Amino acid sequence: MTDPNRPIGFFDSGVGGISVLKQAVRLLPHENFIYYGDSLNAPYGSRPLAEIQQLTFDAVDYLLSRNVKAIVFACNTATSAAVHLVREKHPDLPIFGIEPALKPAVENTEGGSIVVMATETTLKEQKFAQLMDRVARDRHVVKLCCPGLVELIEEGKAHSQETLDYLSDKFKALDVPEIKAIVLGCTHYPFILSPLRQVVGPTPLIFDGADGISRHLQNVLTQRGLLSDRQEPGEIHLINTSGDEKLLELSIALLTAQDPPMSDPPLDMETLGS
Ligand code: DGL
């Protein structure tokens, strides 16, 4: 019998997936979580596909060695590159892959254009083309690849002038008349929400996939009898492959900051590598 009190594994190329982890913790406060942030190898988005796949397999193997009961790919890039391969390899393991929240953006807006901000890999892989075909056929969707933005966030510069200038230049160059919605198709980007708002103004609706995947996780664990029966709050264990304390500090700051405030679960940290 599977022990429902085993942890849930999360992974991302770096600190971005913490935006998803936060939402999952809100929904599932009695679960234990292990978060594997691969900042040593970030960004994934402009790497060759085979490299992203290998890094993803390594992350999955690590999480399995920690006896997780499910794995959440809190990384759009890894989902597009490798989720199908990992599912083939581990058919009995519940695996969840985040995808750009294009569907809610389509459902909640009419006319104009929808801008999807994501990495090069996410925007060029087949998974995104299939998603567009499924949910946004009759809409004007603009793909906005943002190389360099993940690096700014990993460096703790999410709210810097540099990030504001970056976003401002990106949207100026875009020249799209009526932006109705912006989809944050990379899990790092919710952390630049306020400079993004400064640049695009109050009108466009902004979507990310954290809530959708967290609800899906909750539903599947419930259906499979895999929800923890713990009464007390669960623990979050943060791992960062960079071996750099600064990245762990940044991870904690991102996890504990932001609105709406979340209850503070006990934190436990670890670094991998030197
Ligand atoms: N957070 C990852 C994503 O959702 C960033 C990818 C990268 O490292 O380039 O796509």
Side-chain angles (χ1 to χ4, degrees), residues 22-23 26 190-191 193 253-262:
K22 290 183 83 149
Q23 193 55 31
R26 280 189 204 115
F191 296 124
L193 189 60
L254 295 174
L255 184 61
T256 51
Q258 254 192 23
D259 266 328
M262 52 186 269

Side-chain angles (χ1 to χ4, degrees), residues 12-13 16-17 42-46 74-78 98 119 122 150 185-188:
D12 179 45
S13 63
Y44 281 11
S46 36
C75 178
N76 293 266
T77 307
I98 195 161
T119 67
T122 300
V150 163
C186 166
T187 56
H188 281 73

